[in-house]
Amino acid sequence: PKGGEICIEDLDQHAKTSYPLCMRFLHEALRSNHHLRHFGRLQYGLFLKGIGVSLQDAMRFWRDEFTKIMDVDKFEKSHAYNVRYNYGQEGRRTNYTPYSCMKIICTSVGPGEHHGCPFKHSDVQILANKLKAYGIANNYVTEISELVKGSHYQVACGKYFEATHGKLSNGIQHPNQYFEESQVALGN
Ligand code: SF4
C-alpha cells in the first residue's frame, strides 16, 4: 500500500495478520500499558510511518493511547514533539528511516522495554509460549525455537511469516518489507 492507505483503526487487525513479531509485541505492549518507552516509540513510530500512517493519524493514535494514563497537556508537552520528530517536523528535520532488522537485532533492550527483535531478545521458552498462544502450529514453534537457538533470527522470522501466511517469504531484511510482503500475500 502507498502512503495514506493504512487506517489506524485497522492496526489491531494488521498487528495480528501482517506485522512482524517485533512490531506485534510493541503494538500489544502499547495497547495493554498505554505507554511505550523511548526506543519502543521510535522503533514502532518509524515503522508506522513506513507503512503509510500519516503524521496526523500517528498523532491521533499515540494521543488516544497515552491519554488513557495521562492528561492531554502532559501528552502535548512530553510526547507530541517526538511524534512530529519521527516525521522530520522537528529538530534537524531529518526524514528518519524505519529501522532495518540488522539495526533492531543489534540494539540493546533493558527491563520494561519492548523494542528489539523478539527472536533475538526474548527468552526462547517465553517466545515459544507466546507463539503457541497466537495459534502457531507446534511444528513451526519447534522449528522457530531451534533457529533462535542457532542465532538465525531473520530465518526464524521468515518461518513465522510462513506459519501465518501459508507461503514462503523472500527473506526478511526489514520489518516494513515484511509488512508489504504480507499485504501482497493477503491480497490487500
Ligand atoms: Fe522484526 Fe526483523 Fe526481528 Fe523479524 S527479524 S522480528 S522483522 S527485527
Side-chain angles (χ1 to χ4, degrees):
K2 288 167 211 76
E5 291 174 17
I6 293 292
C7 181
I8 57 168
E9 279 69 29
D10 296 334
L11 294 183
D12 291 329
Q13 183 57 36
H14 289 315
K16 288 197 193 98
T17 54
S18 272
Y19 277 20
L21 217 49
C22 52
M23 301 305 167
R24 185 171 183 178
F25 277 20
L26 282 168
H27 184 79
E28 290 177 359
L30 175 65
R31 284 290 193 230
S32 44
N33 305 330
H34 315 299
H35 191 265
L36 283 179
R37 299 188 46 188
H38 177 72
F39 291 109
R41 296 197 299 267
L42 264 180
Q43 181 178 309
Y44 189 32
L46 291 172
F47 170 81
L48 289 177
K49 180 175 81 166
I51 69 173
V53 173
S54 68
L55 171 59
Q56 287 76 8
D57 282 357
M59 192 62 85
R60 190 156 58 86
F61 174 69
W62 293 103
R63 190 195 294 116
D64 286 353
E65 206 57 58
F66 276 41
T67 53
K68 294 189 168 121
I69 54 163
M70 66 182 67
D71 58 38
V72 177
D73 262 15
K74 166 118 172 79
F75 175 83
E76 294 296 338
K77 281 200 194 90
S78 314
H79 298 291
Y81 177 95
N82 291 312
V83 179
R84 287 193 296 271
Y85 186 90
N86 279 350
Y87 283 76
Q89 300 296 311
E90 295 282 1
R92 283 184 293 142
R93 295 186 167 258
T94 307
N95 198 3
Y96 295 99
T97 314
Y99 296 163
S100 67
C101 294
M102 264 341 246
K103 185 168 168 109
I104 293 173
I105 287 169
C106 292
T107 193
S108 56
V109 180
E113 293 185 311
H114 300 278
H115 67 281
C117 170
F119 299 106
K120 160 80 195 257
H121 296 103
S122 289
D123 171 82
V124 171
Q125 194 52 54
I126 293 173
L127 177 68
N129 292 342
K130 195 94 189 186
L131 291 171
K132 283 182 200 158
Y134 286 159
I136 305 298
N138 279 333
N139 60 315
Y140 276 115
V141 175
T142 308
E143 236 184 304
I144 289 170
S145 302
E146 288 308 313
L147 287 165
V148 164
K149 286 181 201 154
S151 307
H152 305 298
Y153 311 120
Q154 287 161 270
V155 185
C157 184
K159 275 286 157 205
Y160 172 76
F161 184 99
E162 194 184 319
T164 47
H165 295 79
K167 282 188 182 142
L168 294 175
S169 81
N170 294 322
I172 307 300
Q173 306 292 337
H174 199 292
N176 287 88
Q177 170 229 336
Y178 183 110
F179 182 83
E180 277 156 33
E181 269 194 45
S182 168
Q183 290 287 289
V184 171
L186 299 173
N188 290 349

